[in-house]
Amino acid sequence: MSGDPGAGASGAGYAVVVPTLVRDTLADCLAALAAATGPAPGEIVLVDDRPGPDTDPDALEHPLTVLGDLRERTVALRSGGRGPAAARNAGVRAVTSPWTVFLDDDVQVGPHWCDQLAQDLAEAAPDTGAVQGVIAVPLPGERRPTDWERGTAGLARARWIAADMAYRTGVLEEFGGFDERFTRAYREDADLALRVLDAGWRIRRGRRTTRHPVHPTTRWVSLEQQRGNADDALMRRLHGPDWWAKAVAPRGRIRRHAAITGAGAAALALAAAGRPRAAGVAGLGWAAGTAEFAWARIAPGPRTRDEVTTMLITSALIPPAATWHRLSGLWRHRAAPAWQEMTP
């Protein structure tokens, strides 16, 4: 890196905040940041969000060594395992620079990222509260992507994604940062962006590019992701029933999932009540809905034996899981006021 710490063409200093679970990807993230050409960040704040007191205190040592000269301006904090929203907020409280750039610990900034960021910040108008980076997700070229790979690729089209997002630090302070009721890396960035936009600030897309690789995961990841339906319930309370349109987000299949789950529950109840014909009709409805969902996930993929097996199993489990998490979210957040009604 070269140039004044954190100073772009306009003199706009910036800090980088990285919430992390100290995964293996963190070292690659920090190494890419250290290697990028252009004005260096004035501050780097790593927020260790591993839960519990028994985490290895030396786990950060190797990732920090890859920073080179940037190690001197890096601080590491603990946030207690409360999720990325709370971790980012903890990081912002340690920032003194006028801009705060959030990076996830599993991304890799491009080779000219610091130069491009400096240009993004220099071009930000006074009413621009944030500048989003461009996310690139590399996919395999020799075969069709899997369901998990397609889902990760969707990050490249997502609005206001915090994997690479620069906010004016004063704007973050004005709005209290991220809502810490979002305890997963899901919807917390859209919620903050909608609040900022509703207040009259602008958010624009910059030129800098950050790579988000597709990382290995388990075959149950799509089932685990259904917890996000509870966050969607909170988004509805905060931003109204059309929140998904405001956030330019896919509406999802929750209505279909609820219908499939209802048909399956009705089939079981009717069978237990000794009404086999009605139970059969409801069961056919469940089977048809589940088959349609499974095929929608299998058709665009590689259709290997392992992928098809995973899609068949999880397609039967996802509708009730999604419905359960949505209902639990609606109950948990039933008293949450719209964000405009909340006391600053």
Side-chain angles (χ1 to χ4, degrees):
M1 277 187 193
S2 61
D4 296 333
S10 66
Y14 72 96
V16 172
V17 172
V18 183
T20 181
L21 295 175
V22 197
R23 299 181 288 183
D24 293 340
T25 57
L26 178 61
D28 291 336
C29 172
L30 298 181
L33 177 62
T37 60
E43 308 162 84
I44 299 175
V45 184
L46 298 183
V47 187
D48 182 349
D49 195 46
R50 291 176 295 171
D54 299 327
T55 54
D56 180 5
D58 298 325
L60 274 174
E61 288 305 311
H62 169 63
L64 287 173
T65 61
V66 305
L67 284 169
D69 293 341
L70 290 179
R71 177 67 180 87
E72 297 177 356
R73 62 189 71 165
T74 301
V75 297
L77 308 175
R78 294 292 301 273
S79 55
R82 295 182 293 130
R88 293 191 193 104
N89 289 346
V92 172
R93 288 192 288 270
V95 167
T96 60
S97 301
W99 286 89
T100 298
V101 185
F102 298 108
L103 293 175
D104 284 349
D105 71 350
D106 58 350
V107 304
Q108 299 159 18
V109 302
H112 308 293
W113 184 85
C114 294
D115 270 327
Q116 294 167 337
L117 172 65
Q119 185 175 1
D120 286 346
L121 302 185
E123 294 175 352
D127 64 345
T128 297
V131 185
Q132 177 180 350
V134 176
I135 302 298
V137 180
L139 292 176
E142 71 281 2
R143 58 165 174 78
R144 294 179 178 182
T146 64
D147 181 70
W148 168 242
E149 291 166 341
R150 291 194 305 274
T152 304
L155 297 176
R157 302 184 299 273
R159 294 286 187 96
W160 319 309
I161 182 172
D164 180 354
M165 175 66 91
Y167 270 98
R168 293 187 188 272
T169 305
V171 169
L172 293 169
E173 293 169 349
E174 176 185 349
F175 291 93
F178 294 89
D179 189 327
E180 297 182 10
R181 288 173 294 185
F182 293 95
T183 57
R184 288 170 290 277
Y186 190 71
R187 303 301 190 206
E188 82 290 353
D189 42 14
D191 164 67
L192 176 58
L194 288 180
R195 288 187 276 131
V196 169
L197 291 168
D198 283 350
W201 289 93
R202 294 171 57 209
I203 299 176
R204 72 174 185 85
R205 184 180 290 267
R207 293 186 177 89
R208 66 191 188 277
T209 300
T210 292
R211 183 173 178 265
H212 192 305
V214 180
H215 303 290
T217 188
T218 72
R219 75 186 325 167
W220 307 110
V221 64
S222 59
L223 190 62
E224 296 165 1
Q225 289 177 319
Q226 301 314 307
R227 295 177 180 274
N229 282 281
D231 300 309
D232 286 350
L234 178 56
M235 288 291 287
R236 180 184 177 91
R237 294 292 304 176
L238 294 173
H239 301 285
D242 61 341
W243 70 267
W244 54 273
K246 297 177 185 177
V248 198
R251 191 163 190 173
R253 299 178 64 107
I254 188 60
R255 294 184 178 181
R256 296 187 189 184
H257 290 333
I260 293 170
T261 302
L268 293 174
L270 289 166
R275 300 175 60 186
R277 183 172 298 180
V281 172
L284 284 174
W286 172 85
T290 301
E292 182 277 330
F293 179 43
W295 179 245
R297 302 172 71 207
I298 292 170
R303 304 186 200 177
T304 61
R305 176 178 297 180
D306 185 67
E307 175 75 358
V308 170
T309 300
T310 298
M311 293 301 99
L312 289 174
I313 296 172
T314 56
S315 293
L317 297 175
I318 283 174
T323 303
W324 167 255
H325 287 299
R326 174 56 66 89
L327 291 175
S328 66
L330 289 171
W331 175 256
R332 186 184 319 135
H333 302 301
R334 64 191 182 280
W339 82 265
Q340 297 93 336
E341 301 171 7
M342 295 189 293
T343 303

